Amino acid sequence: MLKKLYVLYLVVFFGISIAAFVIGNYGIHDQKSHIYLLPDGYTGWVEIRYEQEGSPPLPREGKEYVNLIPRTGILNTPDSPTSGEMKFYYLDEQGNRKRIELDMIRAQAMKSKYVLTSNGTKEELSVNVFFVGTEQQWNDERSRN
């Protein structure tokens, strides 16, 4: 009897372990990656505004969303926010990419933000914001605010 319980325990344990691995692995592979292409040498705040009607959707490279950030630092997209890996690059005028090291990315956050519309009402936006710059630039930015 004890042997049967032990075998049953092992079968259940391995079944749960395999199910957890499959579910966890599926969740990781289902996440979308994001490529952020910033104008060459850009420093300052970047803001991606999601669910903005009339804006072009984010292009894709395979499974990766491409966020082409304009010089203003604000990108509007009709897409909904998604989680996933983030890769940052400077994009020069010839279309070449240069990796931006993670120590240049600061204060990254997904949040809600209220903005005034043209008719004077407030609209709640889902935004992804981050600052691009050296530690000194970041400290200077924080001292201004």
Side-chain angles (χ1 to χ4, degrees):
M1 176 74 175
L2 193 55
K3 187 176 181 180
K4 286 183 181 181
L5 283 175
Y6 181 71
V7 170
L8 179 61
Y9 168 78
L10 286 177
V11 168
V12 170
F13 175 77
F14 284 116
I16 291 172
S17 297
I18 290 169
F21 175 78
V22 169
I23 290 169
N25 200 29
Y26 175 77
I28 290 170
H29 289 297
D30 194 41
Q31 287 187 345
K32 309 294 186 230
S33 294
H34 299 267
I35 297 172
Y36 296 89
L37 301 176
L38 289 87
D40 198 18
Y42 181 89
T43 60
W45 285 102
V46 172
E47 181 175 298
I48 297 90
R49 297 177 176 179
Y50 296 99
E51 299 170 346
Q52 298 299 294
E53 293 180 20
S55 301
L58 296 175
R60 291 192 183 187
E61 291 180 2
K63 291 185 177 183
E64 298 178 309
Y65 288 99
V66 178
N67 296 260
L68 184 58
I69 308 300
R71 286 231 167 258
T72 62
I74 298 173
L75 174 64
N76 294 309
T77 177
D79 296 314
S80 296
T82 60
S83 62
E85 180 184 11
M86 300 170 73
K87 302 173 187 173
F88 303 91
Y89 298 91
Y90 282 126
L91 184 66
D92 68 21
E93 292 180 9
Q94 291 75 37
N96 300 310
R97 296 179 185 181
K98 179 184 173 190
R99 184 93 177 194
I100 300 173
E101 298 302 322
L102 290 180
D103 64 352
M104 291 282 290
I105 307 300
R106 302 172 192 288
Q108 190 280 324
M110 285 293 302
K111 62 182 187 175
S112 293
K113 177 181 180 178
Y114 290 93
V115 295
L116 280 175
T117 63
S118 59
N119 63 7
T121 61
K122 287 186 178 180
E123 178 183 6
E124 183 179 8
L125 303 177
S126 292
V127 297
N128 179 11
V129 295
F130 55 90
F131 185 85
V132 180
T134 63
E135 185 173 355
Q136 183 62 51
Q137 290 167 322
W138 172 238
N139 289 333
D140 291 347
E141 177 66 21
R142 290 189 325 187
S143 68
R144 280 190 286 247
N145 296 326

